Amino acid sequence: MFKLTPEPIDYHALTEQVRRNDCGAVVTFLGTVRDLTDGRVTTSLDYEAYPGMAEKKLAEIETDTRARWPVAYMAMIHRLGHLEVGEISVAVAVTCPHRSQAFEACRHAIDRLKEIVPIWKKEHWADGTTEWVHPS
């Protein structure tokens, strides 16, 4: 399961959604808006995406991750729109039979998401300036 959403991410529900009785490991990664980036104070972020291409790339990541690890279930959600410091911008949850598999699969999924999914963020700095960046 993967999606883009303007709504806050309910990471408790996401984690429960991927849990399976036949798997002993659930790993959930949460990316949050931090208040300091490269020594500059961040006040907020705006996220935009090209939805059709972003969803296609998210599907590719899911397929690739499942081919490499015994993933029972996984979910990737990325927020779009305006986010304040402390809000969750992205969540990836993976369920596998064993913890090492789940950690590796989750790390792979978030790393690939940051590398290839066309989602851009606009940093809002405390000095009033802004900058569009691609997370990779």
Side-chain angles (χ1 to χ4, degrees):
M1 190 277 295
F2 51 86
K3 72 177 183 176
L4 304 172
T5 182
E7 301 300 321
I9 296 170
D10 182 347
Y11 59 92
H12 293 290
L14 182 73
T15 300
E16 286 304 310
Q17 181 180 353
V18 302
R19 285 177 14 107
R20 296 290 183 264
N21 288 338
D22 60 341
C23 290
V26 176
V27 172
T28 302
F29 169 83
L30 303 177
T32 60
V33 178
R34 62 179 174 263
D35 64 358
L36 192 65
T37 303
D38 297 328
R40 296 179 74 185
V41 176
T42 303
T43 59
S44 62
L45 298 176
D46 291 319
Y47 283 97
E48 290 187 8
Y50 175 43
M53 181 59 74
E55 291 164 355
K56 180 180 175 187
K57 291 297 184 183
L58 288 168
E60 288 176 19
I61 293 166
E62 182 174 5
T63 299
D64 179 53
T65 303
R66 287 178 177 281
R68 295 171 183 237
W69 291 276
V71 173
Y73 200 84
M74 69 182 292
M76 294 179 284
I77 301 177
H78 204 296
R79 286 278 306 270
L80 298 178
H82 186 79
L83 281 75
E84 297 293 329
V85 170
E87 289 190 87
I88 298 168
S89 58
V90 61
V92 176
V94 177
T95 302
C96 289
H98 302 285
R99 70 179 172 271
S100 62
Q101 299 161 335
F103 276 112
E104 291 168 10
C106 189
R107 181 172 186 148
H108 173 77
I110 187 62
D111 287 350
R112 291 299 289 157
L113 186 154
K114 292 292 189 177
E115 291 169 2
I116 68 169
V117 179
I119 298 172
W120 298 271
K121 67 179 175 181
K122 184 178 187 180
E123 299 258 5
H124 294 267
W125 309 108
D127 65 7
T129 61
T130 62
E131 179 182 2
W132 282 101
V133 296
H134 185 279
S136 67

